[in-house]
Amino acid sequence: MLVKSTSTIEITRIEGATTWNATDVLAVEEPLEIRIAWILASVTTEKSISITMRTPGTDPDLAAGFLFTEGIVRSPAEISSIRHCGRQGSSSDDRNVIRVELSDGVSIDWKRLERHFYTSSSCGVCGKTSIEALAVTATPLREGPSATIDSILTMPLALQKEQSIFSQTGGLHAAGLFSGEGKLIAIREDVGRHNAVDKVIGAQFLEGATPLSGAILMVSGRASFELVQKALVAGIPILAAVGAPSSLAVELAAEYGMTLIGFLRDDRMNVYCGRERVTVGR
C-alpha cells in the first residue's frame, strides 16, 4: 500500500509586484479511524474509538501509542495484530481505517471508551467530554535521570536535522526521544503534535521498551496538558518543548514529579518544574 506523506500542488507565488507560477509541497492531512476488536464467548466485536487527523505513515505506531497513552492497553502483549482494513461493506483496503485486534482474554476498562474520542490535528484534550475523563493513568516519577544544560541545548538542532518531511513542507510537528546525553533515539512527524507523540511512544511500546524512564521527550511546538499526560503514562521524566507550556501542563507535571522545559531554542530555556534533573556541566 503506497503511503504519501507529502503532496505537490501548483501555486501562484507573489513577491512585491512580481507574480509567477510555481509548485509547493504540502504535508498530507487525512483522517484515521482507529478501531479495536476483541473476542468474547467466541463472538468478535469491533468498535470505532477514535478519528484523528494525521499525516499518513507509521499508522500502527500511532494506533498503539494512542491506546497506550490513553490507558486502554498496558502491554504490547495485549495486542494481537494491527492492520489497515476496508470500511464496513467494502472489500477494498482503506489506508484511513486501522484495526487493532486485542489478544484473547484481555480485560479492558471500557468506561475509558465512553469519552468522546474525536480529535483533530490542532485539538486533543478539548474533545474529551468531562474533567473526570482527564484522569492520568500514571504513577509519580522517580528522581532520575538527569541531563546537562549543554546536552539539552543541542536537542532542537538535532531534532530539526531529522525532520525530513518538515524540511520539504514547513508544516509538520515533530516528537523526538533523546537519551540523557542528548543522543536522538527516535523521531516521528505529524500534522498533529499529539499524533507525533503517540507515534514515537507507540513505536517504543510495540518494541516492549516502555516505561521510558531514561528518556527525554522533545516536541517542536508547545507543551499542552495532553502531551504531559501522554509522557507521564510512558514514564518519561523530562519533557522539553520549543514553545510555551500551558498552566495546566505545568500543574500536572509538578504533581507527578516531571521536569518540564519550555522555550527550548536559541541557546536558552525555561525550566518550569523539576529543576533538579537539569544539571550544569558537559
Side-chain angles (χ1 to χ4, degrees):
M1 180 172 56
L2 179 64
V3 176
K4 291 184 63 177
S5 299
T6 62
S7 176
T8 302
I9 65 167
E10 300 294 325
I11 65 168
T12 299
R13 184 157 291 161
I14 302 174
E15 290 186 13
T18 304
T19 67
W20 69 94
N21 295 329
T23 59
D24 194 21
V25 180
L26 304 179
V28 172
E29 180 177 27
E30 293 180 353
L32 178 69
E33 178 184 349
I34 301 174
R35 299 177 182 171
I36 54 174
W38 67 98
I39 299 175
L40 183 62
S42 300
V43 177
T44 300
T45 303
E46 188 170 308
K47 183 179 181 67
S48 177
I49 63 168
S50 174
I51 299 175
T52 184
M53 303 302 294
R54 99 308 189 188
T55 301
T58 61
D59 288 340
D61 293 344
L62 172 57
F66 175 81
L67 294 179
F68 173 54
T69 61
E70 291 293 338
I72 298 171
V73 298
R74 303 293 182 88
S75 163
E78 296 179 351
I79 297 176
S80 174
S81 66
I82 305 178
R83 62 179 178 85
H84 289 89
C85 62
R87 297 186 184 278
Q88 292 182 352
S90 171
S91 60
S92 62
D93 285 342
D94 189 332
R95 70 177 184 182
N96 290 334
V97 181
I98 195 163
R99 183 178 187 266
V100 181
E101 184 171 334
L102 303 180
S103 301
D104 292 345
V106 172
S107 177
I108 299 295
D109 182 5
W110 298 110
K111 290 183 179 180
R112 298 192 66 85
L113 298 181
E114 293 176 358
R115 49 172 147 166
H116 179 50
F117 267 134
Y118 176 78
T119 57
S120 74
S121 61
S122 61
C123 166
V125 72
C126 58
K128 298 170 185 176
T129 55
S130 67
I131 295 298
E132 290 76 14
L134 303 180
V136 177
T137 308
T139 56
L141 297 167
R142 298 178 180 178
E143 292 183 3
S146 62
T148 66
I149 293 173
D150 287 344
S151 65
I152 295 172
L153 289 175
T154 66
M155 293 178 188
L157 182 58
L159 188 70
Q160 183 180 346
K161 285 182 176 179
E162 296 299 323
Q163 289 181 247
S164 59
I165 303 176
F166 177 83
S167 65
Q168 301 176 60
T169 66
L172 283 185
H173 290 282
L177 287 173
F178 289 83
S179 68
E181 294 75 34
K183 180 181 179 181
L184 183 62
I185 301 169
I187 180 176
R188 292 291 187 272
E189 295 180 281
D190 199 274
V191 288
R193 59 182 180 270
H194 57 285
N195 288 339
V197 170
D198 277 340
K199 284 181 176 181
V200 78
I201 291 177
Q204 301 297 308
F205 172 73
L206 289 174
E207 291 178 4
T210 53
L212 298 166
S213 56
I216 300 170
L217 174 64
M218 182 179 173
V219 295
S220 61
R222 64 184 181 88
S224 65
F225 172 93
E226 185 177 36
L227 297 193
V228 172
Q229 173 179 308
K230 290 178 181 294
L232 284 171
V233 172
I236 298 171
I238 303 176
L239 170 59
V242 170
S246 68
S247 62
L248 196 57
V250 174
E251 291 174 16
L252 183 64
E255 179 182 355
Y256 280 81
M258 172 183 282
T259 298
L260 182 58
I261 298 169
F263 295 107
L264 176 56
R265 58 180 187 262
D266 302 326
D267 293 326
R268 63 183 176 88
M269 70 180 95
N270 292 345
V271 181
Y272 291 88
C273 54
R275 170 65 177 83
E276 66 277 2
R277 292 195 184 93
V278 180
T279 62
V280 177
R282 296 184 181 275

